[in-house]
Structure formats: C-alpha cells, structure tokens
Amino acid sequence: MDSAKEFQREVASKNFENAKNKVIKVLQNEPFGLSVSQLMTASRLSVKTVKVILQSAEFKIENDICLLTSGKVV
C-alpha cells in the first residue's frame, strides 16, 4: 500500500511542477501580467490549479496582486 501512495504522491508532485512551469513560462511572455482567467486560458489549466500555483513559494502576494519572485523555469 505504501508504495502505491508514494507513487501517487510522486506523480502529483511531478504534475504540479509541470503546471507551475507552464504558468511561469506564460507569465514570462507577458510583462504586464494576466488575470487568473487569462492565465487559465493561456496555460490551459483549471482555476483551482492556477490559484494553488500562485500561492506557491515562487510568487509573492501583495494587496491581492501576485508577483513572480523568480523567473527561473526548471
């Protein structure tokens, strides 16, 4: 059982990293930024996924505005 759960966690982590890289690439091509709706369309991700990504460590939130703190794509 543990190996199946570990595998699922590994796949979920890899999928999250891929989605995060998609969002970062889209934002790097848009110097003035995008709304969540535009970001969803450009990256082809769900609103839930985009919001979780924007809450990750690569983004800083100030006054309901998310800023990309590091421009590196892994």
Side-chain angles (χ1 to χ4, degrees):
M1 269 307 201
D2 291 333
S3 62
K5 287 182 181 181
E6 289 173 14
F7 178 73
Q8 287 178 341
R9 272 189 232 120
E10 184 178 323
V11 169
S13 175
K14 192 172 189 177
N15 288 340
F16 179 78
E17 286 299 316
N18 289 339
K20 183 171 64 173
N21 288 337
K22 275 184 179 181
V23 169
I24 291 172
K25 282 182 184 179
V26 168
L27 289 174
Q28 286 176 337
N29 293 328
E30 296 291 336
F32 296 109
L34 297 170
S35 68
V36 172
S37 176
Q38 292 169 324
L39 195 53
M40 285 173 30
T41 302
S43 62
R44 295 183 178 210
L45 296 169
S46 71
V47 68
K48 181 179 176 183
T49 303
V50 170
K51 286 183 177 182
V52 169
I53 290 169
L54 293 176
Q55 294 172 353
S56 70
E58 283 79 16
F59 296 91
K60 184 171 76 171
I61 300 174
E62 292 180 1
N63 300 326
D64 293 332
I65 297 174
C66 297
L67 304 169
L68 182 61
T69 58
S70 66
K72 296 181 181 179
V73 177
V74 179

